[in-house]
Amino acid sequence: MTGPATIFDRPNTYIGQPTPRQDTDRLLQGRGKYVDDVQLPRMVHAAFHRSPHAHAKIVSIDVSAAKAMPGVIAIYTGKDLAETVTPYVGVLTHLAGLRSAPQHPIAVDVARWQGEPVVMVVATSRALAEDAVEVIEVEYDPLPAACDAETALDASAPVIHKDFGSNLAWERLVDVGDVEAALKAEGVTVVEREFRFGRHTGVTLEPRSAVCDYDPSENQLTMYYSGQAPHMMQVILSKHLGVPEENVRVISNDVGGSFGIKIHTYGDEVAAAAVAKLLKRPVKFTADRHESFLTDIHARDHVVTGKMGVDANGKIVAIDFDDLTGIGPFSMYPRTSAIECNQVLNLTGAPYDLENYRARGRVVFQNKNMMCQYRAVGHPIAMAICDGLIEDAARAINIDPVEMRRRNLMRDDSYPRASASGMKLDDLSHQKALDRLVEIMDYEALRADQEEARKKGIHRGIGFVSMVEVTNPSPMFYGIGGAPIASQDGATARLDAGGALHISSSVTEQGQGTNAILAQIAAGVFGVPIERVKVTTGDTATVPYGGGTWASRGAGIGGEAMLQAAHALKEQVLDVAAVMLQAEADTLDIRNGAVVDAKNGTERMPLADLARTVYYRGNELPSDLNPELIATRHYRVTDFPFVFTNGAMAAHVEVDTDTGFTKVLGFWAVEDCGRVINPMLVDEQVRGGVVQGIGGALYEECIYSEDGQMLNTTMADYMVPMAAEMPDIVVSHIETPSKTSVLGAKGAGEAGTGGAPAALLNAVNDALAPLDTSIWQMPMTPERILKVLGKV
């Protein structure tokens, strides 16, 4: 194939009248005459031929039959787009030694995972594009595939990128204290387990989608983007498509769920933008559910061997573990695929008072879909390692698991301090959270119920986890590594002539209630009814610069910026009011949309009157008073790499030892996310996170064959938790405001997902304990439970 084939070679496909722009496009391209009133629809649709192989050389591509299909506008291969899109590499400089090969939006010469785009078809409808994809003939020469992370480093394993010499992408060792001596000390009991975590994905309600348009008259590229970080995508599209950054507009309005899945660079979305530029017309791509399972990033694919030593009093003397994770054939751009493993090394054991800690992480390439950040990055693995070993050790020395934690958790009055891995910690409440958890779940009553049930042959279990959650990240997370990812967020507050408050923020709305939180903060600080606050988010052309939505930062960073902007605007308004009312500014306030006396609340002036005076009759104000009635503020965390939330959770389960099914009878979560701004939204964030954690613990797994074929790419085969399986989830809070901000808010969006799997793992093992067996692989499917019971 020498270049893209276009419908202009066949000008008699569609009936209708051409638009002026289509007419101009044709004349510019010198494409013949109209036949039978041909019309080319303005927006076109993309579909992809994707590799059916995990690893294969692309020998030839024959698109002749596809070119002749109705509605086809253009067809592109990887080599075609390589002339328009520069390759990208998913590395960060502060992850020393991380390597990845350059990646193209569409595979060039070699396909390296099942589902990688190989050919792009653009047609007048998605259905016609898919029809054309079906007749494309690609000759592949299958290559040996490295699909198993555990053998990817063997000398006999196929090397995915020959120049690297091996499939090792990154490794890191954390070694604090003297682990060997601590584990060998007299009177120390050592427990050791192998943990296996199943690869799974986010299953967002709305699939990935993008509509891209290019206006050559302005050299303007616009992307409507179902994603989380508009300003990040603005930089990426500018850099790799050769359009000035100020000429790239990314719009991310209300998004139907993200969970971290939609914060990465996907080749099919970049290809849509590139082709919009080439064709000078809108191009739409929406992943269907099959494509989502094949190509949305996966996560959690880890094999961990871990050990813990405890003394006779239950004091943890050392933790030692090795984490191996496979990430696919590339490190995801630009956030990289090493962050999850790095989080596991940083967060394991973080709530506990430890002196001896050793953690080794290895990240390997493999011929599967790429892995990267998904809700609660690394937390489910980190919490399961430590708290799974804690409860295993508690059984070994016959100490109650709650008491075991009380003897090891950091004291609430011991902050600021650092974790064993060096994480800076402050404003946490592990002991209070555990006490509250025991209270709300009625722990003693559940233990009594468990004993009675066991007498009847019913196997119930109770499991706990004490955890931390990374929130409100500083520039030390990504910015220092060279990624175009802002850790600050901006907010603007503006008073209009009618007295309404217009606010905009760089944080995006993904269904988590960001817009409601921002409106609540602005209304409360400025002094107007919330129904008079209008919110704009997600548009790089209209909102202040910022990072978007990720790492539970919306309220803590975006909310703080909004608080500061609303304060600044309020000061402006009161300064104007003081002049107009011949009063001192500090004697006035704004309440319910009017300037009032601060002491008694007597209304002095509606905000609309003040605003109209400023906007329409500024000559009535002193010449040295120049109110703008608008304020913008930015905020970032400066004193800590992250602001940590902490929590304690418990699960109550019943395991049917005949069928292997696990029923979750109850779940309790106590979280300290600092100041709770909107209790309903926070509680539902926690509950939603718990549900996703239940999915990872009991149901969800991307199942691959030995040769790298994903076997469950439909909702009928990939199990997600449904309403019928969900227990009552009781949520409670400790409020320890963060000292890093005035608002005092920490993040709350990921704790449930990060902690629930460990609590469920411990509950199931507590249920199985009388049968002298245990399970250490997630999801804990009926088959796997029956296997550890010796019944299959």
Side-chain angles (χ1 to χ4, degrees):
M1 180 175 180
T2 58
T6 76
I7 199 173
F8 299 123
D9 298 319
R10 300 175 292 98
N12 59 343
T13 305
Y14 280 91
I15 304 302
Q17 292 297 324
T19 66
R21 177 163 173 176
Q22 290 160 356
D23 184 61
T24 301
D25 287 348
R26 283 198 169 190
L27 291 174
L28 288 173
Q29 297 192 41
R31 298 289 185 176
K33 299 179 181 180
Y34 298 123
V35 178
D36 299 329
D37 294 328
V38 173
Q39 178 187 5
L40 292 177
R42 182 76 182 89
M43 185 169 74
V44 293
H45 301 258
F48 293 86
H49 169 94
R50 298 179 183 274
S51 172
H53 301 281
H55 198 194
K57 181 179 179 182
I58 302 170
V59 179
S60 65
I61 300 174
D62 183 353
V63 300
S64 57
K67 287 171 61 177
M69 294 290 287
V72 172
I73 302 295
I75 299 175
Y76 298 90
T77 66
K79 289 182 179 179
D80 295 328
L81 289 193
E83 300 175 4
T84 300
V85 184
T86 59
Y88 37 88
V89 182
V91 297
L92 292 169
T93 58
H94 64 302
L95 297 178
L98 175 62
R99 59 185 183 176
S100 185
Q103 188 179 356
H104 295 272
I106 300 178
V108 176
D109 295 330
V110 177
R112 293 181 173 87
W113 84 89
Q114 178 208 17
E116 183 174 11
V118 175
V119 186
M120 179 184 185
V121 175
V122 182
T124 52
S125 75
R126 171 65 182 240
L128 292 174
E130 290 181 350
D131 288 345
V133 166
E134 290 296 320
V135 301
I136 292 174
E137 295 184 6
V138 181
E139 181 184 353
Y140 292 97
D141 180 10
L143 300 171
C147 298
D148 185 354
E150 293 180 85
T151 61
L153 296 179
D154 291 353
S156 59
V159 177
I160 297 172
H161 304 291
K162 299 298 183 184
D163 292 345
F164 290 166
S166 79
N167 291 320
L168 182 66
W170 184 70
E171 64 179 332
R172 178 189 172 206
L173 176 67
V174 179
D175 197 351
V176 178
D178 191 337
V179 170
E180 293 295 338
L183 293 175
K184 293 177 181 177
E186 185 177 352
V188 169
T189 298
V190 177
V191 293
E192 183 171 0
R193 296 292 179 180
E194 180 184 82
F195 299 81
R196 291 181 175 270
F197 301 90
R199 167 188 281 247
H200 54 283
T201 188
V203 196
T204 57
L205 181 65
E206 176 192 37
R208 290 189 297 107
S209 186
V211 177
C212 303
D213 192 16
Y214 178 73
D215 181 355
S217 68
E218 300 287 344
N219 191 21
Q220 174 79 34
L221 178 67
T222 301
M223 174 188 248
Y224 294 86
Y225 157 69
S226 175
Q228 302 173 235
H231 283 104
M232 181 196 81
M233 285 304 300
Q234 180 187 42
V235 176
I236 288 170
L237 294 176
S238 169
K239 178 178 180 180
H240 296 287
L241 271 65
V243 179
E245 193 171 326
E246 64 272 19
N247 289 2
V248 177
R249 181 182 185 185
V250 180
I251 302 169
S252 178
N253 290 324
D254 297 340
V255 175
S258 295
F259 315 126
I261 298 300
K262 298 176 182 177
I263 202 165
H264 310 291
T265 302
Y266 290 94
D268 43 29
E269 296 174 0
V270 175
V275 171
K277 183 183 177 186
L278 291 171
L279 295 180
K280 303 177 178 60
R281 61 195 306 173
V283 177
K284 179 179 180 179
F285 169 70
T286 299
D288 62 28
R289 190 60 68 180
H290 174 72
E291 288 178 301
S292 292
F293 279 120
L294 283 178
T295 63
D296 289 1
I297 62 99
H298 296 172
R300 323 279 206 241
D301 190 2
H302 293 250
V303 178
V304 178
T305 56
K307 63 178 71 173
M308 175 183 287
V310 297
D311 64 21
N313 294 318
K315 173 64 177 175
I316 303 170
V317 300
I319 294 178
D320 186 12
F321 70 91
D322 187 299
D323 178 22
L324 175 70
T325 179
I327 60 167
F330 300 95
S331 173
M332 200 74 179
Y333 179 74
R335 294 171 185 265
T336 86
S337 299
I339 291 292
E340 184 172 78
C341 179
N342 197 50
Q343 294 276 71
V344 174
L345 303 185
N346 286 338
L347 300 180
T348 300
Y352 298 100
D353 189 2
L354 299 172
E355 294 182 2
N356 304 293
Y357 179 81
R358 182 168 60 199
R360 179 193 186 199
R362 289 173 295 162
V363 176
V364 299
F365 297 118
Q366 59 182 166
N367 293 115
K368 292 182 180 178
N369 183 27
M370 286 183 285
M371 287 218 320
C372 204
Q373 289 90 315
Y374 163 49
R375 190 177 192 177
V377 184
H379 293 64
I381 293 94
M383 304 310 145
I385 294 169
C386 183
D387 277 55
L389 291 173
I390 280 176
E391 298 215 358
D392 202 30
R395 281 189 292 271
I397 61 176
N398 197 30
I399 292 180
D400 181 87
V402 172
E403 180 58 30
M404 185 82 161
R405 286 177 173 80
R406 284 178 172 146
R407 297 180 187 185
N408 287 281
L409 285 168
M410 294 179 181
R411 299 190 325 275
D412 294 347
D413 62 356
S414 64
Y415 301 100
R417 60 179 299 172
S419 69
S421 64
M423 295 292 99
K424 294 173 67 175
L425 306 172
D426 202 0
D427 306 320
L428 302 181
S429 58
H430 288 295
Q431 297 283 355
K432 288 180 183 177
L434 182 60
D435 290 344
R436 176 75 60 82
L437 179 67
V438 170
E439 175 188 346
I440 66 173
M441 68 185 290
D442 198 355
Y443 180 47
E444 295 302 324
L446 287 179
R447 282 297 183 201
D449 171 78
Q450 180 186 48
E451 289 301 315
E452 290 301 313
R454 284 176 176 173
K455 294 175 183 177
K456 301 173 184 177
I458 299 172
H459 299 277
R460 292 177 179 165
I462 305 164
F464 295 87
V465 63
S466 290
M467 63 166 298
V468 295
E469 175 195 354
V470 168
T471 78
N472 299 3
S474 76
M476 295 178 67
F477 202 164
Y478 288 118
I480 63 168
I485 301 168
S487 288
Q488 68 165 8
D489 268 302
T492 296
R494 173 176 62 86
L495 183 66
D496 74 9
L501 188 62
H502 293 257
I503 63 172
S504 61
S505 171
S506 53
V507 177
T508 54
E509 177 60 80
Q510 315 289 313
Q512 77 277 44
T514 291
N515 288 7
I517 289 288
L518 295 173
Q520 184 178 346
I521 292 170
V525 170
F526 186 70
V528 296
I530 195 168
E531 57 269 18
R532 300 218 65 195
V533 180
K534 304 302 177 184
V535 185
T536 300
T537 56
D539 186 344
T540 59
T542 62
V543 305
Y545 204 93
T549 293
W550 49 276
S552 297
R553 61 195 301 281
I557 295 181
E560 178 70 17
M562 185 58 68
L563 178 144
Q564 293 183 11
H567 267 303
L569 178 60
K570 185 174 185 177
E571 289 178 1
Q572 285 188 38
V573 170
L574 291 179
D575 285 343
V576 175
V579 172
M580 295 176 66
L581 297 171
Q582 298 183 0
E584 295 296 325
D586 58 8
T587 67
L588 302 173
D589 196 5
I590 302 172
R591 299 174 194 169
N592 200 32
V595 177
V596 301
D597 283 329
K599 288 185 177 181
N600 56 31
T602 301
E603 182 174 327
R604 300 290 302 276
M605 176 186 296
L607 285 176
D609 288 356
L610 180 145
R612 287 177 177 133
T613 299
V614 171
Y615 289 130
Y616 306 155
R617 305 190 306 277
N619 60 300
E620 298 176 7
L621 300 175
S623 59
D624 60 348
L625 183 65
N626 296 297
E628 297 176 333
L629 301 191
I630 187 171
T632 298
R633 294 292 183 271
H634 285 78
Y635 172 74
R636 71 185 189 279
V637 174
T638 57
D639 298 328
F640 290 81
F642 319 99
V643 174
F644 281 95
T645 288
N646 71 270
M649 301 180 187
H652 184 211
V653 305
E654 183 176 308
V655 178
D656 187 326
T657 56
D658 292 324
T659 66
F661 279 91
T662 298
K663 181 177 181 180
V664 186
L665 303 175
F667 199 96
W668 299 265
V670 177
E671 185 168 25
D672 186 342
C673 58
R675 180 164 290 117
V676 176
I677 301 167
N678 187 311
M680 182 176 71
L681 286 177
V682 171
D683 286 359
E684 296 314 309
Q685 279 285 294
V686 174
R687 288 191 178 99
V690 168
V691 170
Q692 283 191 296
I694 291 173
L698 298 178
Y699 304 109
E700 297 184 51
E701 184 172 18
C702 299
I703 301 171
Y704 277 83
S705 65
E706 291 183 357
D707 60 351
Q709 297 291 308
M710 188 174 170
L711 303 177
N712 56 333
T713 60
T714 72
M715 294 299 293
D717 302 308
Y718 183 97
M719 298 292 102
V720 296
M722 306 288 282
E725 289 90 38
M726 291 304 99
D728 285 337
I729 301 171
V730 179
V731 180
S732 184
H733 295 278
I734 307 293
E735 291 193 47
T736 309
S738 170
K739 292 192 287 287
T740 61
S741 67
V742 176
L743 191 61
K746 311 170 192 174
E750 299 172 271
T753 311
L760 288 160
L761 176 74
N762 286 333
V764 170
N765 281 331
D766 185 49
L768 298 178
L771 303 175
D772 197 27
T773 190
S774 57
I775 183 170
W776 302 94
Q777 182 172 4
M778 289 191 266
M780 296 175 285
T781 62
E783 180 182 11
R784 287 171 178 157
I785 288 177
L786 291 176
K787 185 175 181 180
V788 301
L789 289 169
K791 295 186 176 183
V792 294

